[in-house]
């Protein structure tokens, strides 16, 4: 809760739970993830979480498991398991970090790069399925509003 609102003033601001932002964001998340759960295995052969991690690695490589966790919105254990599953499938290469013997760097293999392209095509299709009911101006407005909300919710000084 922001320092500007108290539980008492927040409760007065809305009367219906199903009209709150948090309720609707959670509902949209559940509805869209339900569609993605089936789409990822069908189009990529990966689970939703492995597909998201592959997309994250492809977009930010080379990266550590810690950075993967932050960028994919996972905890470090989830990111580590997903990275290892992708390594085991030959899609991701895990190499020792040159500056730190304890860490590893993740990057896509040639097979991972091919699947990354298909995964990004699926993400674009899913994005269009979800936001296609909005025109271009509405999509741009919503995108800007999300950027503002994320920046407001993020702890100060934290970039991602």
């Amino acid at each position: 809760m922001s320092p500007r609102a108290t539980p008492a003033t927040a409760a007065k601001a809305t009367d219906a739970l199903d009209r709150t932002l948090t309720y609707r964001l959670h509902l949209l998340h559940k509805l869209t993830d339900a569609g993605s759960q089936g789409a990822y295995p069908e189009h990529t052969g990966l689970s939703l979480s492995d597909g998201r991690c592959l997309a994250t690695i492809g977009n930010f490589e080379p990266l550590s498991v810690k950075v993967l966790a932050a960028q994919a919105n996972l905890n470090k254990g989830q990111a580590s398991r997903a990275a290892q599953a992708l390594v085991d499938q030959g899609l991701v290469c895990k190499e020792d970090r040159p500056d730190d013997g304890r860490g590893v760097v993740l990057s896509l293999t040639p097979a991972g790069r091919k699947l990354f392209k298909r995964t990004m095509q699926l993400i674009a299709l899913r994005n269009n399925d979800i936001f296609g009911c909005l025109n271009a101006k509405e999509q741009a407005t919503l995108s800007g509003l999300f950027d503002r909300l994320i920046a407001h919710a993020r702890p100060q000084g934290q970039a991602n």
Side-chain angles (χ1 to χ4, degrees):
M1 187 170 318
S2 81
R4 296 176 289 275
T6 66
T9 60
K12 292 177 188 172
T14 182
D15 294 331
L17 174 65
D18 65 347
R19 298 309 303 155
T20 63
L21 177 64
T22 53
Y23 179 92
R24 292 187 292 163
L25 285 174
H26 183 71
L27 177 61
L28 183 60
H29 171 72
K30 287 185 68 140
L31 293 170
T32 58
D33 263 9
S36 295
Q37 288 286 347
Y40 271 80
E42 181 181 335
H43 293 281
T44 68
L46 298 173
S47 68
L48 175 60
S49 62
D50 286 355
R52 286 179 174 164
C53 285
L54 183 80
T56 301
I57 293 167
N59 273 280
F60 300 102
E61 68 180 333
L63 72 166
S64 67
V65 172
K66 181 179 178 182
V67 173
L68 171 61
Q71 293 292 345
N73 299 307
L74 301 170
N75 67 45
K76 192 174 178 200
Q78 292 169 317
S80 180
R81 286 188 296 278
Q84 189 58 53
L86 294 169
V87 167
D88 293 345
Q89 294 174 67
L91 301 171
V92 168
C93 179
K94 181 167 61 170
E95 298 175 336
D96 291 334
R97 286 178 50 172
D99 62 333
D100 180 0
R102 297 173 296 154
V104 295
V105 174
L106 305 169
S107 57
L108 297 178
T109 64
R113 197 156 314 287
K114 285 175 71 175
L115 191 54
F116 167 74
K117 288 178 184 175
R118 284 202 338 253
T119 302
M120 292 307 296
Q121 290 169 346
L122 174 61
I123 289 170
L125 286 171
R126 293 290 304 136
N127 195 63
N128 189 53
D129 287 346
I130 296 162
F131 296 107
C133 66
L134 304 175
N135 66 38
K137 184 177 178 186
E138 290 168 330
Q139 288 182 28
T141 298
L142 181 60
S143 180
L145 292 171
F146 271 124
D147 289 344
R148 284 180 49 199
L149 289 168
I150 291 166
H152 178 74
R154 183 171 278 142
Q156 281 197 335
Q158 182 183 348
N160 287 325

